[in-house]
Amino acid sequence: MKSYDFNEIINRKNTSSVKWDETARVFGSSDVLPMWVADMDFKAPQEVTKAIIEKAEHGIYGYTAISTSVHDAVTSWFQKQHGWELKQEWLTYISGVVPALSATIQTFSNPGDKIIVFSPVYYPFYDMVTYNDRKLITSPMEYRNGRYYMDLQDFEAKLDGDVKLLLLCNPHNPGGTVWTREELEQLGKICVKHNIIIVSDDIHADLVFNNYTYYPLASISEDIAMQTVTCIAPTKTFNMAGLQAAAMITSNQALREKLEFFLKKQGHFLLNMLGVSAMEAAYKHGEQWLDEVLSYIEDNMDYAVEYIQKEIPGVEASKPEGTYLLWIDCRKLGLGEEELKRLLLHKGKLALESGSKFGKEGTGFVRMNVACTKATLQEGLQRLKTALR
Ligand SMILES: Cc1ncc(COP(=O)(O)O)c(C=O)c1O
């Protein structure tokens, strides 16, 4: 029996939501349907809300430690959901995965070092490299039959001794590719051979559709694990990004000690207590909510892909293997990037992420967030058709 009704329309306007209330600043119009920022238009699991209310009602918000029951909630979740055996001491908490990317970059490389990413990729990967004065190296992926493939020959050819770090996205955003065990193993072996530290952003790990399996890179072999820091968070999975709680995981004690010292230097010791409570509640009690939301999202994906195929000639979309982000290929329309943006915004009144934000390989694509009610999705698809047909 289903416990959650994801068809419920919840007004998010005037809640300071980035997705709903910042379109005027970002797109120049508040009269657009927002399907851009990666959060869901659904309420988080009720146990998360209950945990926050309990803490709020206590009324004393003093310094709060991250207790062993929190570590236990995280490790048990990864063991049960993904068969990944973690030790509690492998966890280092941080407020978010993007902060974790920046922390790992600053800890394990020096200004001027090279850092490699597979492109196109979630754009803060680029920003964190360049803002920290490291040299960005990209290994463009191949887009074949609606799926991305890493070009490991190109990747290895670029490892010239100055490349210190790989930032990996698993599952991948955009494109929703859930890397197979074989792909990860081949990649990991190359990184071990060239002594590259891998920072794996696994924030979408739990958002994987039927028939696909997420593998943590660090679970593949001991020598790969010793060079990997995995960044995880409950925030994407359970729609609680505003609560800001994440963790970096590595079995390599030397790497972990360096990361912990880096955070200390920044003056970071604890997280916000509400985020920590929410994290614990989500990992302890969120499984059924996740099952139901994933099935709703997968249904939305199927609906959107079929709609685009039938109704919008020249536009292509393949069902991703995971994530709630649909990568829509508009290249055959032959429109320039500005024209595509203009049509979507002014004709369609639809706010999507432009593919080019994810790197030049994303030019001609747009990314649509389908973690919304079916009614919103239908409205969004109609607007896409109005804009592009
Ligand atoms: C791949 C990826 N990493 C990180 C984030 C954001 O992480 P955080 O909010 O924890 O910084 C997102 C959000 O969309 C994402 O898609």
Side-chain angles (χ1 to χ4, degrees), residues 131-191:
Y131 293 170
N132 282 303
D133 300 319
R134 274 57 168 178
K135 279 199 198 113
L136 178 70
I137 307 295
T138 57
S139 179
M141 293 188 291
E142 197 188 332
Y143 190 68
R144 211 181 326 127
N145 300 326
R147 184 189 193 268
Y148 277 108
Y149 292 85
M150 298 182 266
D151 179 347
L152 293 181
Q153 269 186 352
D154 173 79
F155 172 73
E156 188 165 12
K158 287 175 174 159
L159 304 181
D160 60 359
D162 293 334
V163 177
K164 301 294 183 227
L165 238 62
L166 159 67
L167 305 184
L168 178 72
C169 195
N170 176 33
H172 196 83
N173 171 16
T177 315
V178 180
W179 302 117
T180 64
R181 204 173 193 288
E182 292 68 36
E183 285 172 318
L184 292 170
E185 189 170 8
Q186 284 171 16
L187 174 68
K189 279 186 179 160
I190 297 172
C191 292

Side-chain angles (χ1 to χ4, degrees), residues 38 95-99 122 125 169 173 201 203-204 233 235-236 241 246 325:
S95 63
V97 169
V98 174
Y122 177 58
F125 277 46
C169 195
N173 171 16
D201 172 343
I203 199 167
H204 295 277
T235 46
K236 202 75 33 193
L325 307 165

Side-chain angles (χ1 to χ4, degrees), residues 313-357:
V315 177
E316 288 167 15
S318 301
K319 184 177 171 182
E321 298 166 352
T323 81
Y324 49 76
L325 307 165
L326 182 60
W327 192 229
I328 304 174
D329 185 352
C330 307
R331 289 174 301 176
K332 286 201 179 133
L333 296 177
L335 300 167
E337 195 65 1
E338 286 311 310
E339 180 64 358
L340 184 57
K341 266 193 217 167
R342 196 190 63 75
L343 287 172
L344 288 169
L345 277 179
H346 299 291
K347 208 166 159 214
K349 298 200 180 301
L350 181 60
L352 303 180
E353 292 282 23
S354 286
S356 57
K357 268 177 96 172

